[in-house]
């Protein structure tokens, strides 16, 4: 079956409305494939580059999964998106804001190279969705500003770039403390052995 319109996907009206406002009418191939699969609660390995629409492919089902849940507890996000660079983190957070414009979910972005004060405050206010780069996240985890007991959805974005940029050990340390009972999504443009190995462990 080919999906030619977002209205054919089982996305709630609040999300459909945001898509109309974004000017999206037709799902990209990765969105058409991934959204039904993720709405079923399954894990996903996506071989996809930036520019394919992958942010909405994971973001829309994630928002739908979270929208009926309990309010987040301070310092305990319900979804985590790990991405290698500050620029990507900001872009993803922006997309989450747009796609979730008609939901009451709270989100924030954290990355290194800036003071941590405002990031810690955002965590303390309670977040449904945390977008983060690995180094700063690990730092804040070690300081006990964030924990993942309530985590429902974990997205590892650009996994091969994590490896290239030397972040893979930080990623492994973060993954090690995530609850086992969660939905996991891994995106990578290429599949080097280290990432295939990580995917096999995670998914
Ligand atoms: P991404 O690969 O998620 O970074 O998305 C690449 C660009 O495509 C972004 O500017 C999105 O806003 C846009 N985009 C994503 N999905 C769609 C869609 N179904 N229709 C039109 N534009 C889209």
């Amino acid at each position: 079956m080919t999906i030619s319109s977002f209205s054919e996907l089982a996305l709630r009206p609040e999300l459909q409305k945001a898509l109309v406002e974004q000017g999206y009418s037709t799902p990209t191939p990765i969105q058409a494939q991934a959204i039904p699969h993720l709405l079923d609660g399954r894990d996903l390995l996506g071989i996809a580059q930036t520019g394919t629409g992958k942010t909405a492919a994971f973001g829309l089902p994630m928002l739908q999964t979270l929208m009926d849940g309990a309010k987040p507890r301070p310092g305990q996000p319900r979804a985590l998106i790990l991405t290698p660079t500050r620029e990507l983190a900001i872009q993803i957070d922006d997309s989450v804001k747009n796609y979730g414009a008609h939901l009451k979910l709270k989100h924030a972005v954290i990355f290194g190279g800036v003071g941590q004060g405002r990031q810690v405050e955002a965590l303390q206010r309670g977040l449904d969705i945390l977008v983060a780069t690995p180094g700063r996240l690990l730092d804040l985890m070690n300081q006990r500003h964030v924990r993942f007991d309530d985590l429902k959805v974990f997205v590892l974005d650009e996994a091969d770039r994590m490896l290239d940029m030397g972040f893979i050990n930080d990623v492994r340390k973060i993954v090690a403390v995530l609850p086992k009972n969660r939905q996991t999504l891994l995106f990578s443009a290429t599949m080097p052995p280290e990432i295939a190995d990580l995917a096999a462990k995670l998914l």
Side-chain angles (χ1 to χ4, degrees):
M1 188 184 76
T2 45
I3 292 170
S4 56
S5 158
F6 277 107
S7 56
E8 293 170 52
L9 298 169
L11 291 168
R12 303 270 288 268
E14 293 90 334
L15 295 168
Q16 300 278 8
K17 187 172 173 195
L19 291 172
V20 171
E21 287 163 359
Q22 289 298 300
Y24 298 4
S25 52
T26 309
T28 66
I30 190 171
Q31 291 164 1
Q33 289 190 319
I35 291 173
H37 182 90
L38 292 170
L39 289 175
D40 276 349
R42 287 187 275 173
D43 285 356
L44 179 83
L45 175 62
I47 310 297
Q49 268 137 351
T50 297
T52 54
K54 74 174 153 134
T55 316
F58 69 73
L60 294 166
M62 180 189 71
L63 289 164
Q64 183 147 316
T65 298
L66 297 174
M67 66 189 280
D68 293 324
K71 272 177 61 176
R73 294 191 280 175
Q76 307 223 29
R78 301 168 60 223
L80 170 65
I81 304 165
L82 268 188
T83 192
T85 70
R86 164 191 174 136
E87 288 70 27
L88 283 168
I90 293 170
Q91 253 178 51
I92 293 170
D93 186 58
D94 213 42
S95 299
V96 165
K97 183 177 86 192
N98 291 334
Y99 304 148
H102 302 289
L103 303 177
K104 291 202 169 65
L105 298 173
K106 293 204 267 178
H107 59 95
V109 55
I110 66 172
F111 44 75
V114 296
Q116 70 171 46
R118 300 173 80 121
Q119 300 176 358
V120 171
E121 281 166 28
L123 285 163
Q124 277 313 308
R125 281 196 296 272
L127 292 173
D128 295 284
I129 300 150
L130 176 64
V131 186
T133 56
R136 173 58 59 95
L137 178 60
L138 200 57
D139 207 10
L140 295 176
M141 285 165 67
N142 289 335
Q143 295 175 58
R144 308 259 188 280
H145 288 305
V146 56
R147 42 190 294 155
F148 290 105
D149 301 7
D150 294 341
L151 195 80
K152 300 281 176 284
V153 185
F154 171 52
V155 182
L156 180 58
D157 185 40
E158 309 245 343
D160 50 351
R161 279 180 76 191
M162 295 281 195
L163 184 67
D164 295 342
M165 294 174 74
F167 298 156
I168 203 74
N169 280 329
D170 284 352
V171 170
R172 288 203 185 96
K173 284 182 201 159
I174 294 163
V175 164
V177 304
L178 302 182
K180 299 283 170 277
N181 187 10
R182 56 157 204 257
Q183 187 179 33
T184 302
L185 290 65
L186 188 153
F187 290 94
S188 199
T190 62
M191 211 26 79
E194 292 92 333
I195 299 305
D197 185 56
L198 186 65
K201 290 199 178 92
L202 281 180
L203 302 168

